Amino acid sequence: SQKIEQNSEALNIQEGKTATLTCNYTNYSPAYLQWYRQDPGRGPVFLLLIRENEKEKRKERLKVTFDTTLKQSLFHITASQPADSATYLCALDGGDKIIFGKGTRLHILP
Amino acid sequence: KAGVTQTPRYLIKTRGQQVTLSCSPISGHRSVSWYQQTPGQGLQFLFEYFSETQRNKGNFPGRFSGRQFSNSRSEMNVSTLELGDSALYLCASSSASNYGYTFGSGTRLTVV
């Protein structure tokens, strides 16, 4: 069955450093991979989408890579700030449905 | 531009009752998806509607149903509520799958 895993439930990073989150998947061939941010009590907020034929995408301090051979995506936040603390979800979109990982809680320590 | 609006924000029901949740998508978005979010299972896909037709369905029992109206507003219904149905129910709309989804703030359902 299709499976999507995010590397850890929680991650602590010192302010100013780069935070790297991992998303691995099996038994799926997504057309797109998406990353969302979710704050407590709120719905997820769309951050970035990367297509299967793209290797990397950037948006301000965010960078996403997508390796369809390794079946893995990496999500980087450079120059991290305490305001970046949140849960980050990856989602795979195969066109017929979208499945989400359980998320990684990122804590940026001042 | 108004975001995705979900009502009500909070709801408390007793076991065996039924509940209807509402979602108004972003104007112009024809696709509406519903998700159940719990601490243990994360975000679980319920169903997706597009132009009033159910396009995809997740692995939930038949007690969970939905519909979409001609103005793209959507409702989901849960009948014969169980304690395990307590969750945050999220609605998301999209103009196309390759542009990401916009989520509402959700309805927090508590079944007692």
Side-chain angles (χ1 to χ4, degrees):
Chain A
S1 63
Q2 297 152 351
K3 199 172 176 184
I4 179 169
E5 282 185 354
Q6 296 191 237
N7 60 324
S8 55
E9 281 193 27
L11 191 62
N12 293 327
I13 299 292
Q14 205 65 40
E15 181 178 5
K17 302 290 187 187
T18 296
T20 299
L21 285 64
T22 305
C23 177
N24 295 292
Y25 61 94
T26 56
N27 299 324
Y28 204 55
S29 296
Y32 313 102
L33 190 144
Q34 305 177 24
W35 284 89
Y36 290 79
R37 168 187 171 137
Q38 187 173 25
D39 292 287
R42 312 288 296 177
V45 174
F46 172 72
L47 295 174
L48 277 169
L49 177 149
I50 186 165
R51 293 172 173 74
E52 59 179 337
N53 61 349
E54 296 175 317
K55 292 268 189 252
E56 182 180 299
K57 195 154 234 191
R58 291 173 186 263
K59 179 183 174 184
E60 298 171 355
R61 294 185 295 111
L62 308 180
K63 184 178 89 171
V64 172
T65 62
F66 192 13
D67 188 326
T68 54
T69 302
L70 290 178
K71 294 188 182 297
Q72 180 182 81
S73 174
L74 299 179
F75 176 80
H76 307 271
I77 304 176
T78 58
S80 58
Q81 305 165 1
D84 295 326
S85 298
T87 296
Y88 291 85
L89 305 165
C90 70
L92 303 180
D93 189 348
D96 59 339
K97 64 179 178 180
I98 182 167
I99 57 173
F100 281 83
K102 291 187 179 180
T104 296
R105 283 195 315 278
L106 177 65
H107 302 282
I108 305 300
L109 308 173
Chain B
K1 191 174 182 183
V4 176
T5 303
Q6 289 189 248
T7 55
R9 284 298 312 274
Y10 303 94
L11 207 49
I12 300 176
K13 291 283 188 179
T14 55
R15 275 181 297 175
Q17 285 188 310
Q18 70 140 25
V19 67
T20 299
L21 312 181
S22 179
C23 171
S24 293
I26 287 177
S27 178
H29 285 192
R30 293 161 67 190
S31 167
V32 174
S33 302
W34 288 90
Y35 294 84
Q36 180 195 68
Q37 187 173 36
T38 58
Q41 297 299 317
L43 266 168
Q44 302 277 300
F45 173 72
L46 281 156
F47 25 68
E48 182 204 3
Y49 286 88
F50 184 86
S51 294
E52 301 180 66
T53 301
Q54 188 180 84
R55 195 156 65 171
N56 290 302
K57 190 176 189 305
N59 297 323
F60 278 81
R63 300 184 298 107
F64 292 81
S65 63
R67 59 178 175 167
Q68 187 180 32
F69 302 95
S70 58
N71 62 357
S72 291
R73 190 178 71 85
S74 178
E75 288 181 350
M76 70 162 277
N77 185 277
V78 188
S79 62
T80 320
L81 284 165
E82 301 176 0
L83 295 179
D85 297 333
S86 295
L88 180 65
Y89 289 88
L90 291 159
C91 161
S93 76
S94 172
S95 58
S97 64
N98 55 347
Y99 288 103
Y101 292 80
T102 303
F103 282 83
S105 292
T107 294
R108 171 75 62 188
L109 172 65
T110 302
V111 182
V112 297

PDB file of all heavy atoms in Angstrom, chain B residues 19 39 43 56 76 91-92 94 107:
ATOM      1  N   VAL B  19     -24.320  14.825  12.159  1.00  0.00           N
ATOM      2  CA  VAL B  19     -23.806  16.188  12.083  1.00  0.00           C
ATOM      3  C   VAL B  19     -23.583  16.567  10.622  1.00  0.00           C
ATOM      4  O   VAL B  19     -23.264  15.712   9.787  1.00  0.00           O
ATOM      5  CB  VAL B  19     -22.484  16.318  12.885  1.00  0.00           C
ATOM      6  CG1 VAL B  19     -21.367  15.502  12.238  1.00  0.00           C
ATOM      7  CG2 VAL B  19     -22.077  17.764  13.047  1.00  0.00           C
ATOM      8  N   PRO B  39      -4.650  13.350  15.986  1.00  0.00           N
ATOM      9  CA  PRO B  39      -3.229  13.283  16.373  1.00  0.00           C
ATOM     10  C   PRO B  39      -2.571  11.973  15.956  1.00  0.00           C
ATOM     11  O   PRO B  39      -1.419  11.954  15.566  1.00  0.00           O
ATOM     12  CB  PRO B  39      -3.273  13.431  17.896  1.00  0.00           C
ATOM     13  CG  PRO B  39      -4.539  14.167  18.168  1.00  0.00           C
ATOM     14  CD  PRO B  39      -5.510  13.691  17.127  1.00  0.00           C
ATOM     15  N   LEU B  43      -3.603  13.634   8.661  1.00  0.00           N
ATOM     16  CA  LEU B  43      -4.644  14.057   7.719  1.00  0.00           C
ATOM     17  C   LEU B  43      -5.076  12.875   6.865  1.00  0.00           C
ATOM     18  O   LEU B  43      -4.280  12.316   6.122  1.00  0.00           O
ATOM     19  CB  LEU B  43      -4.097  15.151   6.797  1.00  0.00           C
ATOM     20  CG  LEU B  43      -4.333  16.599   7.187  1.00  0.00           C
ATOM     21  CD1 LEU B  43      -3.474  17.505   6.329  1.00  0.00           C
ATOM     22  CD2 LEU B  43      -5.788  16.962   7.017  1.00  0.00           C
ATOM     23  N   ASN B  56     -13.372  11.514  -6.070  1.00  0.00           N
ATOM     24  CA  ASN B  56     -12.551  10.527  -5.382  1.00  0.00           C
ATOM     25  C   ASN B  56     -13.082  10.313  -3.971  1.00  0.00           C
ATOM     26  O   ASN B  56     -13.713  11.206  -3.394  1.00  0.00           O
ATOM     27  CB  ASN B  56     -11.092  11.007  -5.278  1.00  0.00           C
ATOM     28  CG  ASN B  56     -10.403  11.011  -6.606  1.00  0.00           C
ATOM     29  OD1 ASN B  56     -10.306   9.990  -7.268  1.00  0.00           O
ATOM     30  ND2 ASN B  56      -9.926  12.176  -7.028  1.00  0.00           N
ATOM     31  N   MET B  76     -20.513  18.127   4.377  1.00  0.00           N
ATOM     32  CA  MET B  76     -20.280  16.725   4.670  1.00  0.00           C
ATOM     33  C   MET B  76     -21.147  16.352   5.865  1.00  0.00           C
ATOM     34  O   MET B  76     -21.430  17.177   6.747  1.00  0.00           O
ATOM     35  CB  MET B  76     -18.812  16.388   4.916  1.00  0.00           C
ATOM     36  CG  MET B  76     -18.203  16.911   6.169  1.00  0.00           C
ATOM     37  SD  MET B  76     -16.681  16.018   6.577  1.00  0.00           S
ATOM     38  CE  MET B  76     -17.322  14.579   7.401  1.00  0.00           C
ATOM     39  N   CYS B  91     -11.594  21.303   5.231  1.00  0.00           N
ATOM     40  CA  CYS B  91     -12.033  21.401   3.850  1.00  0.00           C
ATOM     41  C   CYS B  91     -10.960  22.172   3.085  1.00  0.00           C
ATOM     42  O   CYS B  91     -10.357  23.107   3.622  1.00  0.00           O
ATOM     43  CB  CYS B  91     -13.368  22.139   3.829  1.00  0.00           C
ATOM     44  SG  CYS B  91     -13.846  22.830   2.262  1.00  0.00           S
ATOM     45  N   ALA B  92     -10.712  21.766   1.845  1.00  0.00           N
ATOM     46  CA  ALA B  92      -9.721  22.456   1.027  1.00  0.00           C
ATOM     47  C   ALA B  92     -10.297  22.668  -0.368  1.00  0.00           C
ATOM     48  O   ALA B  92     -11.000  21.807  -0.890  1.00  0.00           O
ATOM     49  CB  ALA B  92      -8.439  21.627   0.930  1.00  0.00           C
ATOM     50  N   SER B  94      -9.457  24.065  -4.500  1.00  0.00           N
ATOM     51  CA  SER B  94      -8.377  24.219  -5.456  1.00  0.00           C
ATOM     52  C   SER B  94      -8.955  24.562  -6.816  1.00  0.00           C
ATOM     53  O   SER B  94     -10.045  24.102  -7.160  1.00  0.00           O
ATOM     54  CB  SER B  94      -7.579  22.911  -5.539  1.00  0.00           C
ATOM     55  OG  SER B  94      -6.645  22.950  -6.583  1.00  0.00           O
ATOM     56  N   THR B 107     -13.386  22.482  11.280  1.00  0.00           N
ATOM     57  CA  THR B 107     -14.432  22.336  12.299  1.00  0.00           C
ATOM     58  C   THR B 107     -13.938  21.300  13.302  1.00  0.00           C
ATOM     59  O   THR B 107     -13.616  20.173  12.927  1.00  0.00           O
ATOM     60  CB  THR B 107     -15.754  21.855  11.688  1.00  0.00           C
ATOM     61  OG1 THR B 107     -16.270  22.864  10.823  1.00  0.00           O
ATOM     62  CG2 THR B 107     -16.768  21.555  12.793  1.00  0.00           C
TER      63      THR B 107
END
